[in-house]
Amino acid sequence: MRNIFLKISKDKPGYNLFKKLKFLKNKTIQPKRYLNIFWNQHQPYYKDEAEDCFVQPWVRLHACKDYYDMAEILEKYPNVHVTINLSASLLRQLDEYLEKLYDFADISSAKRGDLKYYPYGKVDSYLDLTLKPVEEWTKEDKEFALKNFFNADYKAQIQIFPGYKYLYDKKNKGLSFTLEDFRDLKVWFNLSWMDYSFQSGDVLLKGIDLNGSPLKPQEWVKDTDDLVKKGIQAGYSNARFTEIEAKNLILDQYKIMKYVVPIHRYLMRRKSPDGYPQIEVVTTPFYHPILPLINDLNTAKEADPDISLPEEKFSAPEDAFAQVVKGGEYYKQKFGSFPQGMWPGEGAVAENIIPAFQKNQIRWIASGDETAFHSGHVGDNGLIYRIDNDHEFIDHDGSNGQTNNSDAMSIVFRSIHDKIGFDYGVYQDKIDGKAAAEDFLDDVKNYKHFNNVPQDEDILITNLADGENTWINYLHDGKEFLEALYGKLNENKEIITATPSIFIDNHPIDKQWELEPLAAGTWVNGSFKKWLGKDSKNEAWRRLKIARDALINARIPQSDPYLSCPLPSLDRKGYFIWKACMFLLKKPDLTQLIPLS
């Protein structure tokens, strides 16, 4: 229905800012209850451009543990619609892994399995050591393995495998490792990052190319479960894995990475019984930047008035716009068209970035509930809202006084507490599987409109959740929970699963309620303080400005189609792993051009 709320308070934006006009007509039909399950799959850009390698293995390992199976499991539940974000930086890194490993690992390569064609030093250190025979390991290699090859959750990934726990205990007792121990360790580490479906049986991989044809020849993941069985049979002792088995495990990992995008393509083109595509895949602005801050750092004060900012102003709206364009373009390379929706990095939104999305034909974006309730003319978070950049509530900018929504788009907000991410999982000593699925659906069924929103208004309940790190808390990487949840939703007539685009098709933008203004904020407590305010963070922004200005003043050509200036001074583990610069300096030595002090 057309929004006819009136703003009644300017000094308390976002809370009880409207009242219903008396002439609002009651609906004669029962409201529908929609559920938008939104999985956020993303990784920082881990590539060191100067060294042409990845500094962390998480793109590869999460592909094998989460990205493929989170999509594939839906094939059994055709009535269930799901929204999945695959960030553009993640998609690019997957492509680079596949390109680097093609000769060594692809089924169509005549060199497949020949270690002479493995690009040592150009992939990631974890993978290098997995394929390097332990007899050739240096002292530094062994120290790296002891430090990093237990980088897995103890409850969910280590103690469940007696042989892995044996090595874990041995390290904690300060005992020396034999070469056999190190060989077992590198295999157990990689096995622990394989999804339960691969650990427990042979899997035929599924997916299509851009033309809609199944990938050929068919490929199976067959070695992983055999290695798990061998390790478990050995018990609390050495599994005696071999170098050949380590290599075959990596060849399995390559296959899975290869099928991450194709399985999503397949489900995007697969029609559910209601006629809509089963899943909607969206992406992010290219390097997952905090877009409102790239657009104008002063935007942070809209959400956090007391926040400390760098002395020098940072404002690059053209960069913000370009990040949206390039994210969409990379998505189009993978899926054949521009995305209909986008997840702004960390759910970071503000009025000033709406045009960057809307002018690129993005129909909708999403954010956290805290941002919703700081916005003007808000109802509750069980609605989809219309947003624009005209700073007027209820447009009258069309001809003859008619409403014109040509500059508008939609936004959805997290509607319920993320129990999937925080409240379930056997490894958190909490409910799991069927019990957790039933509890979640009870919350969905019990959600009611509030804050003066009429109870006969259709409800859109959006559950925004991390689709990768979450499953470390669950038995079998969440398999029992997801099968119970999707199984119940597949047969449920009261809860309609829908992606935002499906919901918009049934609730056009001129019938949506308007937020005016859209508050600036993120899904992290509605604040920007995670990325700004402290001296160290402000210093990073200062350096970013220096770098960007220097590149522009040096007239560096815009030769990199993906944007970004990978600065070694920016903390990869912290808040600036998502790149913000407009241009990429092709030369690795930035220090000659950019004074960082």
Side-chain angles (χ1 to χ4, degrees):
M1 63 184 296
R2 178 69 177 167
N3 185 349
I4 50 175
F5 284 113
L6 292 180
K7 191 170 185 179
I8 61 173
S9 172
K10 293 183 179 179
D11 53 347
K12 284 190 176 182
Y15 294 91
N16 298 316
L17 288 182
F18 57 84
K19 59 183 177 180
K20 197 70 174 174
L21 296 184
K22 292 182 180 179
F23 54 84
L24 181 64
K25 294 182 180 180
N26 291 326
K27 292 186 176 181
T28 57
I29 60 174
Q30 289 295 316
K32 295 179 180 179
R33 184 173 298 270
Y34 293 86
L35 173 62
N36 171 32
I37 299 174
F38 189 119
W39 300 121
N40 185 25
Q41 314 283 38
H42 71 290
Q43 287 295 323
Y45 190 65
Y46 288 117
K47 188 179 180 186
D48 183 324
E49 296 284 0
E51 299 297 328
D52 190 26
C53 66
F54 298 102
V55 297
Q56 296 290 348
W58 307 123
V59 168
R60 170 174 61 90
L61 297 180
H62 277 294
C64 297
K65 196 181 80 67
D66 303 302
Y67 302 148
Y68 176 85
D69 69 281
M70 282 290 290
E72 193 274 338
I73 192 173
L74 287 160
E75 188 183 32
K76 295 187 292 186
Y77 309 103
N79 293 316
V80 177
H81 293 286
V82 166
T83 309
I84 299 175
N85 174 51
L86 296 176
S87 67
S89 56
L90 167 61
L91 291 171
R92 184 185 181 190
Q93 289 177 94
L94 278 172
D95 278 349
E96 293 202 30
Y97 264 102
L98 295 176
E99 290 167 7
K100 288 173 178 290
L101 293 172
Y102 178 86
D103 284 346
F104 166 71
D106 198 84
I107 193 171
S108 62
S109 171
K111 306 164 187 174
R112 184 175 186 267
D114 189 339
L115 286 172
K116 290 187 297 185
Y117 297 96
Y118 172 74
Y120 282 102
K122 298 300 180 182
V123 192
D124 68 65
S125 298
Y126 297 72
L127 189 51
D128 288 351
L129 278 190
T130 301
L131 291 173
K132 183 179 181 180
V134 294
E135 289 80 8
E136 300 174 16
W137 281 15
T138 64
K139 177 183 177 183
E140 290 73 22
D141 291 338
K142 294 173 182 178
E143 290 173 350
F144 181 94
L146 288 172
K147 179 181 178 181
N148 294 288
F149 280 176
F150 291 104
N151 201 340
D153 185 83
Y154 175 74
K155 290 183 177 180
Q157 295 173 281
I158 296 177
Q159 74 169 2
I160 62 172
F161 299 118
Y164 202 4
K165 185 178 184 301
Y166 165 75
L167 297 173
Y168 180 89
D169 292 343
K170 189 170 185 177
K171 179 199 172 186
N172 286 342
K173 293 175 182 177
L175 301 176
S176 297
F177 270 44
T178 65
L179 292 181
E180 189 172 64
D181 291 334
F182 281 116
R183 188 179 295 110
D184 281 358
L185 177 59
K186 67 180 184 179
V187 173
W188 276 125
F189 172 73
N190 282 278
L191 279 176
S192 74
W193 282 95
M194 301 292 277
D195 181 66
Y196 177 72
S197 60
F198 303 121
Q199 294 175 351
S200 58
D202 294 347
V203 176
L204 173 63
L205 297 170
K206 301 167 187 173
I208 60 173
D209 60 23
L210 277 171
N211 296 320
S213 300
L215 269 60
K216 292 182 179 179
Q218 289 186 334
E219 297 188 62
W220 289 79
V221 173
K222 290 187 174 183
D223 289 291
T224 299
D225 66 314
D226 292 336
L227 291 178
V228 170
K229 291 174 186 175
K230 177 179 177 177
I232 291 176
Q233 288 173 356
Y236 187 76
S237 63
N238 285 110
R240 294 184 173 84
F241 293 127
T242 68
E243 296 293 346
I244 291 177
E245 288 171 332
K247 182 180 71 174
N248 288 340
L249 177 56
I250 298 307
L251 294 176
D252 270 358
Q253 289 187 353
Y254 174 87
K255 294 176 190 175
I256 299 166
M257 287 191 288
K258 179 179 175 180
Y259 273 78
V260 168
V261 169
I263 185 63
H264 286 83
R265 283 196 204 112
Y266 166 65
L267 292 166
M268 287 173 69
R269 298 197 186 188
R270 184 189 192 213
K271 294 294 180 66
S272 290
D274 61 10
Y276 287 104
Q278 185 170 5
I279 69 171
E280 178 171 5
V281 176
V282 299
T283 195
T284 59
F286 196 85
Y287 280 113
H288 201 279
I290 310 304
L291 212 62
L293 301 186
I294 300 300
N295 189 86
D296 187 342
L297 208 59
N298 287 327
T299 305
K301 282 195 170 289
E302 295 180 30
D304 305 291
D306 62 340
I307 198 168
S308 171
L309 299 180
E311 290 184 7
E312 293 189 61
K313 176 182 174 64
F314 184 97
S315 178
E318 63 271 37
D319 291 15
F321 190 90
Q323 289 280 341
V324 174
V325 172
K326 296 306 178 183
E329 287 179 346
Y330 206 88
Y331 175 99
K332 185 177 181 180
Q333 292 179 32
K334 301 291 100 183
F335 298 105
S337 63
F338 234 66
Q340 296 192 65
M342 270 197 175
W343 167 248
E346 305 297 336
V349 297
E351 287 257 321
N352 62 20
I353 64 165
I354 294 174
F357 293 108
Q358 194 274 332
K359 290 180 180 180
N360 285 295
Q361 286 74 56
I362 302 300
R363 297 177 75 193
W364 64 269
I365 55 177
S367 188
D369 52 335
E370 298 91 344
T371 303
F373 292 119
H374 285 90
S375 298
H377 300 87
V378 70
D380 60 30
N381 51 359
L383 298 170
I384 194 166
Y385 289 96
R386 185 179 73 254
I387 53 175
D388 55 38
N389 193 232
D390 63 8
H391 308 295
E392 294 182 26
F393 178 59
I394 304 183
D395 299 336
H396 292 294
D397 53 354
S399 60
N400 301 320
Q402 296 176 353
T403 299
N404 178 4
N405 287 316
S406 62
D407 63 345
M409 61 182 301
S410 302
I411 188 168
V412 297
F413 296 101
R414 177 171 50 198
S415 307
I416 53 178
H417 167 65
D418 181 17
K419 284 189 170 183
I420 295 176
F422 298 100
D423 292 1
Y424 304 143
V426 67
Y427 297 119
Q428 295 191 109
D429 300 319
K430 298 177 180 178
I431 58 174
D432 205 326
K434 182 179 178 181
E438 290 175 345
D439 182 77
F440 176 79
L441 291 177
D442 283 343
D443 279 7
V444 173
K445 294 173 185 176
N446 292 329
Y447 182 98
K448 294 181 179 180
H449 281 308
F450 57 96
N451 209 13
N452 295 329
V453 177
Q455 293 301 313
D456 57 3
E457 191 74 28
D458 284 351
I459 296 173
L460 175 62
I461 301 165
T462 296
N463 189 83
L464 285 168
D466 185 326
E468 47 202 9
N469 298 308
T470 293
W471 309 115
I472 214 72
N473 299 319
Y474 288 73
L475 184 67
H476 297 150
D477 211 35
K479 187 176 182 65
E480 283 80 1
F481 168 76
L482 288 172
E483 288 189 336
L485 176 63
Y486 292 153
K488 291 177 182 296
L489 287 171
N490 197 59
E491 305 301 326
N492 196 299
K493 304 300 182 184
E494 299 177 8
I495 300 172
I496 306 168
T497 57
T499 67
S501 291
I502 293 175
F503 191 85
I504 293 169
D505 284 348
N506 289 277
H507 302 78
I509 197 162
D510 62 339
K511 303 297 183 182
Q512 295 169 16
W513 297 9
E514 182 175 10
L515 285 185
E516 186 62 64
L518 170 65
T522 71
W523 76 333
V524 184
N525 303 317
S527 169
F528 293 100
K529 289 184 177 179
K530 184 175 180 181
W531 301 274
L532 188 66
K534 291 185 178 180
D535 290 346
S536 60
K537 299 173 186 178
N538 288 353
E539 173 64 11
W541 284 100
R542 185 185 77 83
R543 295 187 180 200
L544 183 62
K545 179 173 173 28
I546 291 172
R548 184 181 186 278
D549 290 349
L551 291 171
I552 292 175
N553 293 336
R555 299 181 180 180
I556 301 298
Q558 300 180 40
S559 55
D560 175 45
Y562 310 115
L563 315 175
S564 168
C565 173
L567 298 178
S569 61
L570 301 186
D571 180 10
R572 290 184 180 278
K573 295 180 180 178
Y575 307 109
F576 292 92
I577 40 185
W578 307 115
K579 307 303 194 271
C581 277
M582 177 66 174
F583 308 117
L584 172 65
L585 180 62
K586 292 298 182 181
K587 300 176 183 179
D589 186 5
L590 292 171
T591 58
Q592 294 180 4
L593 181 65
I594 304 167
L596 293 178
S597 61

